[in-house]
Amino acid sequence: MTDITKKMTRTIWMLILAFTVAGMASCSKSVSYSELLREEEKAVNQFLAGQKVLLEVPEDSISFIVGKDAPFYKLDEDGYVYMQVISKGEAEKVETGDKVYFRFSRQNLKELYLGNDTYDDGNSNNVYYGDTYFILGSQSGTSANYGSGIQMPLKFFGYDCEVNLVLKSYYGFTNYNNYNDQSSCQPYLVNVRYFRPEY
């Protein structure tokens, strides 16, 4: 082998080695789904640590504490959804199959946890996003886009109620602006107001 051939062979092997190391380094930077879930859990725990949290929901809607300083009630046994009641709305409950319009704004709790700047996202103050609605009890069609967590407060309250929800990704939005909170493990603090459809 000539010196030039040896140098070329050595250079090729060095390049192969460099690409292999770079490939392994990029693989090690990817985050597993279980790591994303742990990050989500930490973010939600940090937020709730600064709040009053009650682990049991009152037996009737009259007993809920209401207001901006009200506690967050744990709505499911796994702790995926917490609700703070701002206003109870109408006494008459919404029935399964009813169409419910809602306005919302939300903040990404993981970004808050990481110390990043966040902004309110949603259609509460921005008509650009248009009307959003779901059919109570349905998880198909348009209703599926917003996950089941957004419907939980209507087990207790009627139209015109307002709540703040801590939504872990499991019950979060599945298709909002072409983004899926569930697959990316993004938890949100969501302010929601529910409205009766206008005929």
Side-chain angles (χ1 to χ4, degrees), residues 31-87:
V31 179
S32 72
Y33 186 69
S34 61
E35 289 172 314
L36 289 173
L37 288 173
R38 279 195 296 276
E39 288 175 7
E40 176 183 43
E41 186 71 23
K42 288 177 187 177
V44 168
N45 288 345
Q46 179 184 3
F47 175 79
L48 291 175
Q51 309 296 322
K52 183 176 181 183
V53 176
L54 297 179
L55 302 179
E56 293 185 16
V57 176
E59 291 182 22
D60 59 60
S61 61
I62 297 168
S63 301
F64 278 90
I65 300 169
V66 178
K68 295 198 182 284
D69 294 326
F72 278 84
Y73 294 93
K74 181 180 172 184
L75 293 189
D76 69 305
E77 66 180 45
D78 295 317
Y80 291 132
V81 183
Y82 293 83
M83 174 182 71
Q84 179 185 50
V85 183
I86 305 301
S87 171

Side-chain angles (χ1 to χ4, degrees), residues 58 94 99 151 164 180:
V94 181
K99 190 175 202 177
Q151 298 186 23
N164 287 326
N180 188 326

